[in-house]
Amino acid sequence: MICARWEEQLNGIEFFSGAGGLSLGAEQAGISVSCAVEISPTAAASYRRNHPKVKVIERDIREVKGSDCKGASEPLIVFGGAPCQGFSTSNQRTRNKENKNNWLFEEFLRLVKDIKPFVVLFENVYGITHTEKGFFRLALRSRLNALGYKVTDTIADATLMGVPQRRKRYFCVGAFTKAIDLSNVGKTANRVTVADAISDLPFLKVGARKSRLPYRSEPVSSYAQDLRANASTSTGHLVTKNAQHILERYAHIPQGGNWQNIPKSMMGSYTDVSRCHTGVYKRLSMDEPSVVLGNFRKNMLIHPIEDRGLSVREAARLQSFPDAYEFYGSIGQQQQQVGNAVPPLMARRIFETILDQF
């Protein structure tokens, strides 16, 4: 009976939705998303703006019951990713069992047990596979097995899925009827560069605050054309206003370079400059995919040819969000929403892989 139901449209529920990158990928793959749970008011506002038909529950996941979400018809897929900062390889201070946020995957599993979807998709940073010697990954898999799911997992590379960003994510899929083969997910797309992604967007200055602007040129790639969807303007052309001493540092960094290209005499504000990781003051290269965005404002990622940080829209392009997708909140909140998101195109490839095997 379960297999026969896959001829119907799959319905989705997302937990820890953020601004909605996973949900967008699900919808692009043909899944009808009915409910999302998100604790941040501004991220929830961005989600509502871009997914107006979805019920958004703006509460702490620990206060949510399965009955709050399960209004969709079956068959169901539940998906989401708990906050990942505690699993990030760049976070060595709280990357352990003592970080309470690292246990929020238990809330995900609680709701899966309550709702009993046919398919489960859990995603996170790839660091979850070796945090505490793989404890959290093994716990997730064993708990899903105990609930009756056949479980497979993988670390997927966004650049192999047509996303112009070197971003790796962990995906774990559980299904009642069969184990999903994730070995070749998305490995057919062409490589997309930063130039392909952002070259048609407007020139901007440090501290730019005019959100809606016309394009600089016609799209230079099929990737940009797809994200523009024949629009004449787009939003999110907002750039952090950096201090003058930071701008002076930018000028010393070539494409592909980072803080190591800055004269040490200009890095006096750092107690120990040698502790900076390679992503700090990283200038993107036009002819390569971007480095992973993450907190691109804190890391001060630099535009490849202009001495400024990335705009919200440029970061959204590198994440594969279409230009019609709008983000709400302060510039810092919008930057965080974009940086935290799962690239929608990456999510789409994962969901398509799941659907194709049924």
Side-chain angles (χ1 to χ4, degrees), residues 40 42-43 46 208-209 238-241 294-298 310-312 327-340:
S40 164
T42 50
S46 295
R209 284 294 184 273
L238 311 174
V239 180
T240 297
K241 187 173 183 178
N295 192 333
F296 63 93
R297 175 173 66 102
K298 180 180 178 181
L310 297 175
S311 72
V312 172
F327 301 91
Y328 286 177
S330 67
I331 180 174
Q333 289 166 333
Q334 292 185 46
Q335 289 168 328
Q336 184 175 9
Q337 290 169 35
V338 174
N340 285 350

Side-chain angles (χ1 to χ4, degrees), residues 130-148:
H130 44 267
T131 297
E132 291 282 8
K133 299 181 179 180
F135 170 85
F136 292 99
R137 176 200 174 210
L138 294 174
L140 174 69
R141 288 180 57 99
S142 64
R143 290 281 297 280
L144 287 172
N145 281 144
L147 291 173

Side-chain angles (χ1 to χ4, degrees), residues 25 160-162 185-186 189 344-354:
L160 300 179
M161 301 181 183
V185 60
L345 182 55
M346 187 180 202
R348 176 180 178 174
R349 304 293 189 209
I350 296 290
F351 284 116
E352 287 174 341
T353 297
I354 294 170

Side-chain angles (χ1 to χ4, degrees), residues 77-330:
I77 179 170
V78 165
F79 54 92
C84 62
Q85 289 81 2
F87 298 125
S88 173
T89 54
S90 63
N91 174 23
Q92 298 302 319
R93 188 170 58 87
T94 60
R95 194 166 164 244
N96 51 49
K97 294 178 183 177
E98 283 66 49
N99 186 336
K100 292 181 179 179
N101 281 343
N102 288 354
W103 291 93
L104 284 174
F105 81 98
E106 293 274 12
E107 298 300 320
F108 180 89
L109 290 168
R110 172 181 64 83
L111 289 163
V112 166
K113 182 178 180 180
D114 193 7
I115 296 170
K116 298 180 178 63
F118 291 139
V119 182
V120 178
L121 171 65
F122 181 88
E123 68 79 29
N124 218 278
V125 294
Y126 74 92
I128 194 175
T129 62
H130 44 267
T131 297
E132 291 282 8
K133 299 181 179 180
F135 170 85
F136 292 99
R137 176 200 174 210
L138 294 174
L140 174 69
R141 288 180 57 99
S142 64
R143 290 281 297 280
L144 287 172
N145 281 144
L147 291 173
Y149 293 98
K150 295 176 174 61
V151 180
T152 51
D153 60 3
T154 190
I155 294 174
D157 185 343
T159 59
L160 300 179
M161 301 181 183
V163 179
Q165 184 186 168
R166 294 189 182 95
R167 193 182 191 104
K168 292 183 178 180
R169 301 293 290 192
Y170 170 76
F171 291 93
C172 179
V173 179
F176 278 139
T177 56
K178 62 185 295 185
I180 303 298
D181 182 4
L182 299 173
S183 60
N184 292 309
V185 60
K187 295 181 180 179
T188 58
N190 293 326
R191 179 174 173 274
V192 183
T193 67
V194 171
D196 295 328
I198 70 172
S199 292
D200 61 319
L201 295 178
F203 292 110
L204 299 172
K205 295 182 178 180
V206 173
R209 284 294 184 273
K210 190 171 182 179
S211 178
R212 186 174 294 277
L213 291 170
Y215 294 101
R216 180 201 316 181
S217 68
E218 292 299 312
V220 300
S221 66
S222 59
Y223 178 85
Q225 178 66 63
D226 289 344
L227 296 187
R228 280 173 64 154
N230 300 315
S232 59
T233 63
S234 61
T235 61
H237 302 292
L238 311 174
V239 180
T240 297
K241 187 173 183 178
N242 298 118
Q244 184 59 37
H245 70 278
I246 292 177
L247 301 181
E248 290 171 357
R249 291 169 180 168
Y250 286 170
H252 290 271
I253 304 172
Q255 288 190 34
N258 61 13
W259 66 269
Q260 294 170 309
N261 298 104
I262 303 171
K264 290 185 178 179
S265 60
M266 300 179 67
M267 299 291 282
S269 58
Y270 286 83
T271 304
D272 183 2
V273 70
S274 66
R275 297 184 65 181
C276 290
H277 61 79
T278 57
V280 173
Y281 283 105
K282 181 74 172 181
R283 188 185 290 273
L284 303 185
S285 297
M286 287 291 270
D287 59 355
E288 296 284 341
S290 168
V291 296
V292 63
L293 290 181
N295 192 333
F296 63 93
R297 175 173 66 102
K298 180 180 178 181
N299 287 346
M300 290 175 286
L301 292 188
I302 310 171
H303 188 279
I305 58 175
E306 299 174 32
D307 288 339
R308 60 170 176 82
L310 297 175
S311 72
V312 172
R313 179 52 52 194
E314 288 162 347
R317 279 279 188 96
L318 296 173
Q319 283 276 61
S320 74
F321 279 100
D323 290 357
Y325 212 94
E326 296 187 36
F327 301 91
Y328 286 177
S330 67

